[in-house]
Amino acid sequence: MKAVVINNFGTENLEIRDVDEPSGGIKVMVKKAGLNPLDYNLIAGKVVYGVSPMPHIPGSEIMGIAMEDGKNIKKGDRVIVYNRIFDGSCEMCISGNEHLCYNGGIWGVVTNGGYSEYISVDEKNLFKVPDVIDDNTAVSIGIGALTAYRAIKMARPAPGSKILVYGAGNTGIFTVQIARIMGLDVYVYSRKNELGKFGITVFNKIPDDFQADTVINPLGNGLLSESLKYVKRRGKLITYGVLTGRNFEADIADIYTNEKQIIGSTGGTRQDLYELLKIMSLNRFYLPVYMEYSLWNIKKALEDFTNRETGRIILNL
């Protein structure tokens, strides 16, 4: 089968080559793959995780067609990959937090991924896509939507409470829609007004006196420090990204005197994904797509990834 392979980090080292078909799980014919910051940074050698094996097939966001029956997955089902590798026996797994498995990692990073014609995946990592969810939205669930859903769950917001979301990228757009379904009062800080057409208040400058029960900010560094002042007394700041840097400064007195909480969130559990698919099967979601490319034209897709204004880049087979 054909696959995208990197021998060394860097776009210039990408090759399309013939490789052996994988085995050991349910065979899936890849139909669509997402291109997201994780994939982009892995190829560039900028991930904070160990990449294995090398040479490596990247791609952590995959939707395809099951080619054989499992116990619950049936041949012909549209499926997505729950992209966490876990052993099922450590403290985190036993407590239902398999996404934090001490002996695991991200599928497509600590294992070969899905930028290929076929993949073979253990059934416990495959989820059937409800018929009402279109293919482009489906391929975006495993990272973008799941990360958004988990982050909101970590905040445990009360219906009607105020939430401020930093950024209107793929994950931000999912965050806003899920938050509205949950009955939250939603605001966005972004230089793009993509979400304004849905009646959501989009700030390009946050008012000084603005206060939110929950602030979700995956941007890191100085923006994370700044966003703390918009967290109200006993409110929560949720973070899951380091786009502008990994370190930030905080006023410790402000945190403890106002009992503010800073919470890290990453990915999500299989239970989170199960719940999310139920929500998405009952509600229409909007997902802007910037461009679709053939997987075999991935170098052009990577070139355009950082230059796009808004929307997803989807890779098709």
Side-chain angles (χ1 to χ4, degrees):
M1 70 172 186
K2 289 170 64 178
V4 174
V5 179
I6 52 171
N7 292 299
N8 294 293
F9 298 118
T11 306
E12 68 278 7
N13 296 313
L14 279 176
E15 296 180 4
I16 311 298
R17 69 166 72 155
D18 288 322
V19 299
D20 293 336
E21 286 190 12
S23 59
I26 291 180
K27 182 177 180 179
V28 175
M29 179 175 63
V30 176
K31 187 174 181 182
K32 285 183 178 282
L35 178 57
N36 59 67
L38 173 62
D39 303 310
Y40 181 88
N41 289 326
L42 183 147
I43 291 167
K46 297 178 180 178
V47 292
V48 296
Y49 318 99
V51 178
S52 179
M54 289 293 283
H56 189 79
I57 301 172
S60 293
E61 208 176 26
I62 302 300
M63 193 280 292
I65 307 297
M67 302 299 289
E68 53 195 351
D69 291 337
K71 292 181 179 178
N72 298 301
I73 298 297
K74 302 302 178 186
K75 183 178 180 179
D77 283 347
R78 289 189 308 151
V79 294
I80 57 173
V81 176
Y82 172 69
N83 65 2
R84 294 285 173 154
I85 301 300
F86 56 97
D87 62 16
S89 60
C90 75
E91 176 188 352
M92 290 294 104
C93 291
I94 291 171
S95 65
N97 293 290
E98 64 271 26
H99 66 308
L100 298 176
C101 177
Y102 288 117
N103 303 305
I106 299 177
W107 181 85
V109 178
V110 300
T111 68
N112 278 324
Y115 285 174
S116 57
E117 291 182 293
Y118 297 97
I119 55 177
S120 183
V121 181
D122 194 299
E123 187 172 10
K124 70 179 186 292
N125 283 78
L126 290 177
F127 281 72
K128 182 179 177 180
V129 179
D131 293 339
V132 297
I133 300 176
D134 67 83
D135 289 352
N136 283 346
T137 301
V139 76
S140 305
I141 293 172
I143 292 181
L146 181 58
T147 300
Y149 181 63
R150 174 76 178 186
I152 297 173
K153 277 187 66 175
M154 294 288 281
R156 298 181 180 177
S161 63
K162 189 179 291 185
I163 184 171
L164 172 64
V165 180
Y166 272 67
N170 178 35
T171 306
I173 286 173
F174 277 120
T175 303
V176 167
Q177 293 174 88
I178 294 167
R180 291 190 83 180
I181 290 167
M182 290 182 170
L184 307 184
D185 184 15
V186 184
Y187 298 81
V188 177
Y189 173 60
S190 175
R191 65 179 184 274
K192 306 168 187 174
N193 196 34
E194 179 70 24
L195 295 167
K197 59 182 137 183
F198 297 102
I200 294 169
T201 300
V202 180
F203 297 129
N204 55 30
K205 183 180 186 304
I206 303 171
D208 289 338
D209 61 350
F210 184 85
Q211 294 277 277
D213 300 277
T214 302
V215 174
I216 294 185
N217 184 346
L219 302 181
N221 210 333
L223 285 171
L224 196 67
S225 301
E226 174 195 298
S227 64
L228 259 174
K229 71 181 181 181
Y230 302 116
V231 179
K232 70 182 293 187
R233 184 164 288 186
R234 304 213 80 232
K236 299 179 179 74
L237 171 62
I238 315 294
T239 182
Y240 54 80
V242 291
L243 183 65
T244 62
R246 298 179 62 173
N247 300 307
F248 80 106
E249 294 183 356
D251 182 343
I252 298 171
D254 174 52
I255 294 171
Y256 73 71
T257 58
N258 290 294
E259 292 193 349
K260 296 181 179 182
Q261 297 180 49
I262 302 174
I263 300 172
S265 181
T266 182
T269 67
R270 288 179 298 162
Q271 177 65 31
D272 293 331
L273 183 52
Y274 175 81
E275 294 168 1
L276 176 61
L277 287 168
K278 289 288 188 182
I279 292 170
M280 296 186 73
S281 69
L282 297 172
N283 298 273
R284 183 178 294 276
F285 276 72
Y286 164 72
L287 180 71
V289 174
Y290 173 74
M291 192 75 71
E292 297 189 48
Y293 300 81
S294 164
L295 175 60
W296 316 127
N297 196 22
I298 188 172
K299 286 189 177 182
K300 175 60 176 170
L302 287 163
E303 180 183 320
D304 291 346
F305 181 77
T306 55
N307 299 322
R308 74 198 192 286
E309 282 297 315
T310 189
R312 293 236 58 199
I313 285 181
I314 304 291
L315 303 169
N316 297 318
L317 279 88

